[in-house]
Amino acid sequence: MTQIYDPTGKVIPVTVIQAGPCHVLQLMTQERDGYEAIQLGYLDKPRRLAGRSARGQVAKLDSKRQRRRAAAGVQAVQKPDCEPKRYVRELRGSVGNREIGQELKVDVFAEIKSVDVVGTSKGRGTAGAMKRHNFHGQRASHGVKKCHRHVGGTGCSATPSRIIKGKKMAGRYGNARCTVRNLKVVRVDVDNDLLVVRGAVPGPNGGYVIIKQTNKV
Amino acid sequence: MSQQLLLDLVENTSMKEETPFFEIGDTVDVHCRILEGEKERVQIFNGVVIARSGSGTREMFVVRRIVQGEGVERKFPLQSPRIAKIEVKRSGVVRRAKLYYLRDRVGKAVRLKERRGDPKKRAELASRG
């Protein structure tokens, strides 16, 4: 994150996201798949890491099955014909006029005012209830002994003699899918493929995120 | 591209073309634009620069002055468009980057010894690195 100034001199806290270029790897259609979606790939995968399935996803590979199917007159699936991709994600929604193999740049966000950003939040390991659920803990003084950050009571007594399911307690925190909605798009830099949004996005610096047009009005 | 380069690309767009040159211990006039209703007017804050922090668009500097026997400090963002001008009035001899020790001093002890030499030359040297 960093900050920039608007013309009146107000500071805008912004996150700079390298958005694309992404390749369209596959299009899910209503007739064939039962739903509409678009599969995007970002960053080239080093060839040594790309297995046969990853290579087969982006280019036509020769195989016995392919030859048999071709002989039987089955039309082969269209391939994007690009390098194997490192990050592949499917986004639901209308396909529009996108084509397989098309390169999507950040200018798709040119007309969009705000976006949702999905990422994996920073992992915090085992965390106490104060950090994990914003509990208040206990007092610093007035007789509180060695349990200043404890949860406190967790339930009732003899009835029901158990703790209610879903009780918020200490435990693993972070490293989970997290969406931040309705972030304003501050700038779209087509030359450098940069998307600048107002506010923070989930995850560490250099993390990977999915950016969608917001559905929040 | 490295993360820092990407940030720089964005930051450079809201940086001033020429950052005014001043050093710790300088007595400066900070001209800040102030909006009063519809009208804009320039207010001058005069004092000694006692600290600088941050880098890029986040760089800030602290100016301290004594008003009616009371110490007043203001922290300005260096790259803000609201800062119209920074004028160096006088340079002081200092031996550290943060002059927080001035906060504990009153009266004559606040004064800094004047630094000799041409401030323009120093600015030139600094810009050359």
Side-chain angles (χ1 to χ4, degrees):
Chain A
M1 281 191 76
T2 180
Q3 64 185 35
I4 55 176
Y5 294 94
D6 75 353
T8 59
K10 271 190 187 153
V11 164
I12 314 171
V14 293
T15 306
V16 181
I17 305 172
Q18 173 132 51
C22 292
H23 276 89
V24 178
L25 300 185
Q26 209 176 325
L27 296 172
M28 310 295 172
T29 54
Q30 192 68 41
E31 305 89 67
R32 198 167 64 95
D33 309 286
Y35 66 99
E36 290 215 342
I38 183 167
Q39 197 184 71
L40 296 179
Y42 175 59
L43 282 190
D44 291 344
K45 203 176 202 172
R47 283 268 171 103
R48 67 191 156 78
L49 295 180
R52 193 173 160 82
S53 59
R55 280 182 283 132
Q57 190 185 18
V58 293
K60 214 165 267 180
L61 294 185
D62 190 45
S63 70
K64 247 191 231 169
R65 181 166 179 269
Q66 286 297 343
R67 280 199 294 267
R68 255 202 328 268
R69 282 167 74 89
V74 181
Q75 206 181 7
V77 185
Q78 202 192 339
K79 301 285 181 175
D81 213 19
C82 59
E83 286 288 304
K85 293 297 172 191
R86 195 156 178 187
Y87 294 92
V88 179
R89 292 289 181 276
E90 200 174 294
L91 299 171
R92 283 261 189 156
S94 160
V95 166
N97 54 0
R98 312 264 184 246
E99 286 165 14
I100 292 175
Q102 190 185 0
E103 196 181 52
L104 292 187
K105 294 215 160 195
V106 74
D107 54 6
V108 293
F109 290 107
E111 301 291 310
I112 290 173
K113 286 222 171 68
S114 42
V115 290
D116 289 349
V117 177
V118 186
T120 307
S121 60
K122 280 185 187 174
R124 288 150 179 98
T126 306
M130 279 178 74
K131 185 183 274 211
R132 193 174 180 219
H133 301 298
N134 296 329
F135 282 7
H136 289 289
Q138 293 175 41
R139 296 170 102 168
S141 66
H142 289 283
V144 177
K145 272 186 185 165
K146 295 176 187 171
C147 54
H148 307 283
R149 295 181 63 89
H150 282 211
V151 182
T154 52
C156 322
S157 184
T159 25
S161 314
R162 64 184 175 89
I163 288 172
I164 292 173
K165 273 193 180 175
K167 173 76 197 134
K168 288 175 180 175
M169 288 190 188
R172 244 336 148 79
Y173 178 38
N175 193 20
R177 185 187 162 99
C178 176
T179 308
V180 177
R181 295 175 74 194
N182 213 6
L183 293 176
K184 297 247 158 9
V185 175
V186 177
R187 191 179 297 163
V188 176
D189 184 349
V190 181
D191 297 338
N192 302 306
D193 294 314
L194 296 183
L195 182 74
V196 181
V197 296
R198 190 197 162 99
V201 303
N205 289 344
Y208 290 86
V209 292
I210 303 169
I211 315 164
K212 298 188 258 192
Q213 180 176 13
T214 190
N215 55 1
K216 189 170 180 166
V217 184
Chain B
M1 228 189 291
S2 88
Q3 283 172 29
Q4 191 55 49
L5 285 175
L6 294 179
L7 284 180
D8 286 346
L9 280 175
V10 175
E11 278 183 10
N12 286 342
T13 57
S14 60
M15 298 267 271
K16 285 179 177 166
E17 277 170 23
E18 211 172 306
T19 324
F21 175 82
F22 60 92
E23 285 172 308
I24 308 294
D26 286 2
T27 306
V28 291
D29 272 359
V30 183
H31 297 243
C32 26
R33 295 199 182 96
I34 287 179
L35 268 180
E36 265 178 2
E38 291 293 288
K39 265 207 214 150
E40 200 183 69
R41 123 189 130 74
V42 173
Q43 197 184 54
I44 297 172
F45 188 83
N46 170 277
V48 182
V49 180
I50 62 163
R52 268 175 101 149
S53 61
S55 63
T57 50
R58 288 150 298 179
E59 184 161 356
M60 310 280 278
F61 63 99
V62 183
V63 180
R64 179 182 172 85
R65 67 171 297 180
I66 309 287
V67 183
Q68 294 171 355
E70 192 66 41
V72 175
E73 279 177 20
R74 267 187 82 175
K75 197 170 189 179
F76 296 98
L78 183 61
Q79 300 293 343
S80 167
R82 292 237 178 119
I83 305 286
K85 197 163 61 165
I86 300 167
E87 265 182 281
V88 179
K89 291 287 173 190
R90 185 176 179 275
S91 296
V93 177
V94 292
R95 302 180 71 162
R96 36 191 115 292
K98 309 276 189 252
L99 307 183
Y100 296 143
Y101 65 86
L102 290 181
R103 290 172 177 169
D104 304 327
R105 300 197 173 177
V106 270
K108 280 186 180 179
V110 179
R111 292 171 308 168
L112 295 170
K113 203 170 149 194
E114 181 152 9
R115 193 166 162 191
R116 299 287 164 201
D118 190 8
K120 271 183 195 152
K121 251 185 207 166
R122 278 208 293 280
E124 220 173 85
L125 275 174
S127 67
R128 255 188 268 154

